[in-house]
Amino acid sequence: MRGAVLHGPGDVRVEERERPTLLAPTDAIIKVTAACVCGSDMWPYRGIESTPGPMPMGHEYVGVVEEIGDDVKNVKIGDFVVGSFWASDNTCPICQAGYQSRCVHAEYVGMNGAQAEYLRVSLADGTLVATPGQPDEDLIPSLLAASDVLGTGWFGAVAAEAGPGKTVGVVGDGAVGLSAVLAAKQLGAERIIAMSRHDSRQRLARDFGATDVVTERGDEGVAKIKELTDGLGAPSVVEAVGTQESMLQAIQSTRAGGHVGFVGVTHDVSLPGELLFFSAVHLHGGPAPVRQYLPELIELIWNRTIDPGKVFDLTLPLEEAAEGFAAMDERRAIKALLRP
Amino acid sequence: MRGAVLHGPGDVRVEERERPTLLAPTDAIIKVTAACVCGSDMWPYRGIESTPGPMPMGHEYVGVVEEIGDDVKNVKIGDFVVGSFWASDNTCPICQAGYQSRCVHAEYVGMNGAQAEYLRVSLADGTLVATPGQPDEDLIPSLLAASDVLGTGWFGAVAAEAGPGKTVGVVGDGAVGLSAVLAAKQLGAERIIAMSRHDSRQRLARDFGATDVVTERGDEGVAKIKELTDGLGAPSVVEAVGTQESMLQAIQSTRAGGHVGFVGVTHDVSLPGELLFFSAVHLHGGPAPVRQYLPELIELIWNRTIDPGKVFDLTLPLEEAAEGFAAMDERRAIKALLRP
């Protein structure tokens, strides 16, 4: 089968890979309908995160179940499914508490490379959720978004305790940050302040529900958020970048007693204890437990209540994956969808 | 009047200080009935925290109102009062959200030195709470504990979401950690794991409600907590020390999705972003909003439901404050009470 492989910084190639087979009775093989390039894929692509050797890429996927192991009961051959990027049993105490991405049996689906024609998903019963039927073509981008960026932005908004009447700041205007704007809106936030300096992203943020846009960054961004919130800072802030600057910006933009939801995969971040202590914020984040939200997100998409697929502003055949990476690296695209 | 002053590391002297006067119409002057030495006083006493010059000491106090400014309505001359170590207006949005220690008009009462005969408390209406009457002598240590260590341990337990049926770990066996054990018990925790290697503190922890004691520290302490919690870590952990080791121990002892309440004043702490991200814990702490809890804590003490004053295992006349500091520094005493 064909699949995208990262051979080194900036070097993505679509090449022949071995077609996956069932390795455990709890596995499923899906024929990938759509996959995509993630902001987090940029870390190894840019060489900031080292890779031990050629690495199959992709951890976001929707597709049709092709084969199932003997123990799989919740999905059947032919089902259209959405899955999380972390495989989870969905039965352990951590899963039951809603943290499937930290399941005691968690496996990273991305290890198998979802930017390919076929994908093996372990712990299929606890990881995949079938849609009510075969989706209309125009729903596919949104269902794909649910498998990571929407679920991650949603978790960020939940962790930041976005809710009715709340003012929510969002640091980061990538697909996750924009999804967090959409999530905050759905969760009832009254005012949503998107931090973005890119026209196209500002427009999408407003389309998703942002009421204000702040273009300043760092200390100036913090000052602007305070200016908009009676000098106090926002009660809820989502961090969707993962750098030292963005984490500090998020914490310092939050009022004492407020909530920071951080979902940008952190890189070289070191948080000063005294800043955290005297900020008196709640800090919560990590790899999003997307599986927890999938049933609800699929329903919202199926009913056409939300259209998170708008984050994909570039669609390419899988064979052109390298261009998808380059476009995102150069910020010519917010997010690239790949069709095998 | 007489008052304790820190002149340099290890050098506490009780000397003549100017008797405080009302500086604002919202001030009150109280005649101090009892004050004490705090674990956080050890930082400047040990020279770990530098001091710009001679510094009046003490921020925990109970006493009788001696004078009030014209705008003070909630307490009257002759009232026996307990106050928080942060003065707060108790009306701003941050106070109303329960974070009085971060009030937009917050002032640190400790600047005025509570280890003295008299103390000026600013924002008296929002800071002081009167007891139902003049307390029996044996209630004084517990009421004094409410002004900081009990309120701080309580906040730690609340921040860690200690509650019915929960397992709560407590890192730190100082007065705050022990108070967090008491708080967790009151909040309904089923299992309380105190981390302590000192006999007398272990005994008090058990007396306050600890069901288990772990003597190991660092990675071994983490392993022990996991062993006691089905390999998952505790759902609630209170951190009551403030060092890098204790913060990491607390975070790593907590299960994914669990809550860390940190109330040890952090010193030279730097939290790695990736550890925080993949731990997926909730982290919340800071200077405890003691004022929020005072009415409830005073009631529990007044009704003799709790006896947090047991943390004082040394009582001295104010004149012997230096011995109180030395005893705590050498861990001969958990906490020293001073009577002017």
Side-chain angles (χ1 to χ4, degrees):
Chain A
M1 69 166 189
R2 304 292 288 171
V5 175
L6 181 73
H7 284 265
D11 183 11
V12 172
R13 303 177 206 162
V14 176
E15 57 194 29
E16 279 300 311
R17 285 182 50 208
E18 200 172 338
R19 182 172 158 164
T21 55
L22 298 170
L23 299 182
T26 47
D27 284 353
I29 305 295
I30 68 167
K31 186 174 192 313
V32 176
T33 303
C36 51
V37 184
C38 183
S40 69
D41 291 339
M42 291 296 110
W43 296 107
Y45 181 78
R46 289 170 178 160
I48 298 169
E49 200 174 274
S50 68
T51 50
M55 188 167 74
M57 295 300 289
H59 54 264
E60 304 157 281
Y61 58 94
V62 292
V64 177
V65 178
E66 183 90 2
E67 280 182 80
I68 55 172
D70 289 345
D71 292 352
V72 175
K73 309 286 177 220
N74 297 346
V75 295
K76 58 184 191 303
I77 291 167
D79 279 354
F80 190 93
V81 291
V82 188
S84 163
F85 53 103
W86 280 97
S88 56
D89 62 25
N90 210 23
T91 57
C92 80
I94 302 296
C95 284
Q96 290 297 300
Y99 286 84
Q100 289 89 342
S101 52
R102 307 308 290 152
C103 168
V104 297
H105 298 117
E107 286 181 44
Y108 184 54
V109 177
M111 293 295 289
N112 305 332
Q115 294 166 9
E117 291 180 271
Y118 295 91
L119 175 69
R120 182 177 68 85
V121 178
S122 49
L123 303 170
D125 272 348
T127 307
L128 299 172
V129 178
T131 56
Q134 297 300 313
D136 293 340
E137 181 64 24
D138 69 325
L139 288 182
I140 286 172
S142 287
L143 292 167
L144 177 60
S147 96
D148 181 354
V149 285
L150 174 61
T152 296
W154 199 274
F155 173 57
V158 169
E161 298 219 338
K166 281 280 190 80
T167 293
V168 181
V170 178
V171 179
D173 63 0
V176 171
L178 293 166
S179 298
V181 169
L182 183 155
K185 173 76 178 171
Q186 281 298 311
L187 292 165
E190 186 174 295
R191 190 174 191 189
I192 302 170
I193 307 169
M195 307 192 84
S196 171
R197 47 176 64 178
H198 300 269
D199 276 353
S200 62
R201 294 163 190 242
Q202 291 176 2
R203 275 196 303 276
L204 190 49
R206 289 199 185 271
D207 190 35
F208 279 169
T211 53
D212 300 78
V213 169
V214 165
T215 56
E216 291 85 350
R217 283 190 191 166
D219 289 345
E220 287 176 15
V222 170
K224 192 74 191 178
I225 294 276
K226 293 214 165 156
E227 191 185 312
L228 293 171
T229 53
D230 301 323
L232 303 174
S236 295
V237 175
V238 180
E239 191 286 336
V241 184
T243 62
Q244 182 76 6
E245 185 189 32
S246 63
M247 284 293 284
L248 295 185
Q249 190 175 325
I251 292 167
Q252 292 175 310
S253 296
T254 307
R255 67 180 60 184
H259 291 76
V260 178
F262 71 107
V263 290
V265 182
T266 48
H267 282 77
D268 294 326
V269 167
S270 180
L271 298 182
E274 289 181 34
L275 171 79
L276 266 185
F277 187 83
F278 289 103
S279 71
V281 301
H282 298 75
L283 188 63
H284 182 44
V290 171
R291 178 61 184 80
Q292 181 193 162
Y293 307 116
L294 275 182
E296 179 182 3
L297 298 181
I298 289 172
E299 192 181 344
L300 289 169
I301 292 164
W302 205 260
N303 298 339
R304 297 176 185 276
T305 305
I306 59 173
D307 190 1
K310 286 182 183 170
V311 295
F312 295 105
D313 53 355
L314 179 64
T315 298
L316 296 167
L318 172 62
E319 288 298 323
E320 291 172 35
E323 165 56 13
F325 276 78
M328 284 179 63
D329 179 37
E330 294 158 21
R331 293 180 78 86
R332 285 185 280 117
I334 298 175
K335 195 166 177 71
L337 184 148
L338 303 175
R339 297 296 297 250
Chain B
M1 69 167 189
R2 304 292 287 171
V5 176
L6 181 73
H7 284 263
D11 182 11
V12 172
R13 304 178 206 163
V14 176
E15 57 194 30
E16 278 301 310
R17 287 182 49 209
E18 198 172 341
R19 183 171 156 162
T21 55
L22 297 171
L23 299 182
T26 47
D27 284 353
I29 305 295
I30 68 169
K31 185 172 194 310
V32 176
T33 304
C36 50
V37 184
C38 183
S40 69
D41 291 338
M42 291 296 112
W43 297 107
Y45 182 77
R46 289 171 177 158
I48 297 171
E49 202 174 273
S50 67
T51 51
M55 187 166 74
M57 295 300 288
H59 54 264
E60 305 157 279
Y61 56 95
V62 291
V64 177
V65 177
E66 182 91 2
E67 281 182 80
I68 55 173
D70 289 344
D71 293 351
V72 175
K73 308 287 176 221
N74 297 344
V75 296
K76 58 183 191 302
I77 291 168
D79 279 352
F80 190 93
V81 292
V82 188
S84 163
F85 52 103
W86 280 96
S88 56
D89 62 26
N90 210 22
T91 57
C92 80
I94 302 296
C95 284
Q96 289 298 299
Y99 287 84
Q100 289 90 344
S101 51
R102 307 307 290 151
C103 169
V104 299
H105 298 117
E107 285 181 45
Y108 185 54
V109 177
M111 293 296 289
N112 305 333
Q115 296 165 10
E117 290 180 272
Y118 295 91
L119 176 70
R120 181 178 69 85
V121 179
S122 49
L123 302 169
D125 272 348
T127 307
L128 299 172
V129 179
T131 56
Q134 297 300 315
D136 292 339
E137 180 66 22
D138 67 327
L139 288 182
I140 286 173
S142 287
L143 292 167
L144 176 61
S147 98
D148 180 355
V149 285
L150 175 63
T152 296
W154 198 276
F155 173 57
V158 169
E161 298 220 337
K166 282 279 191 80
T167 294
V168 181
V170 178
V171 179
D173 62 1
V176 171
L178 294 166
S179 298
V181 169
L182 181 155
K185 174 76 177 173
Q186 280 299 311
L187 292 165
E190 187 175 294
R191 191 174 189 187
I192 302 169
I193 307 169
M195 305 190 85
S196 171
R197 46 176 64 178
H198 300 268
D199 275 355
S200 62
R201 293 162 191 243
Q202 290 176 2
R203 275 197 302 276
L204 189 49
R206 288 198 186 274
D207 190 35
F208 278 171
T211 54
D212 300 77
V213 170
V214 165
T215 55
E216 290 84 350
R217 284 190 190 168
D219 290 345
E220 286 175 16
V222 171
K224 193 73 191 177
I225 294 276
K226 292 214 165 156
E227 192 185 312
L228 292 171
T229 54
D230 300 323
L232 303 174
S236 296
V237 175
V238 180
E239 191 285 335
V241 184
T243 62
Q244 182 76 6
E245 184 189 31
S246 63
M247 284 293 283
L248 295 185
Q249 189 175 327
I251 292 167
Q252 293 175 312
S253 297
T254 308
R255 67 180 59 183
H259 292 75
V260 178
F262 70 106
V263 290
V265 182
T266 48
H267 282 78
D268 294 327
V269 167
S270 180
L271 298 182
E274 290 181 32
L275 171 80
L276 265 185
F277 187 81
F278 289 103
S279 72
V281 301
H282 298 74
L283 188 62
H284 182 42
V290 171
R291 178 61 184 80
Q292 182 193 161
Y293 306 117
L294 275 181
E296 180 183 0
L297 299 181
I298 290 172
E299 191 181 344
L300 288 169
I301 292 164
W302 204 261
N303 298 340
R304 297 178 185 273
T305 305
I306 58 174
D307 190 2
K310 286 183 183 170
V311 295
F312 295 105
D313 53 354
L314 179 64
T315 298
L316 296 166
L318 173 63
E319 289 296 325
E320 292 173 34
E323 164 56 13
F325 276 78
M328 283 180 63
D329 179 37
E330 295 158 18
R331 293 180 78 85
R332 286 185 278 118
I334 298 174
K335 196 167 176 71
L337 186 148
L338 303 174
R339 297 296 298 252

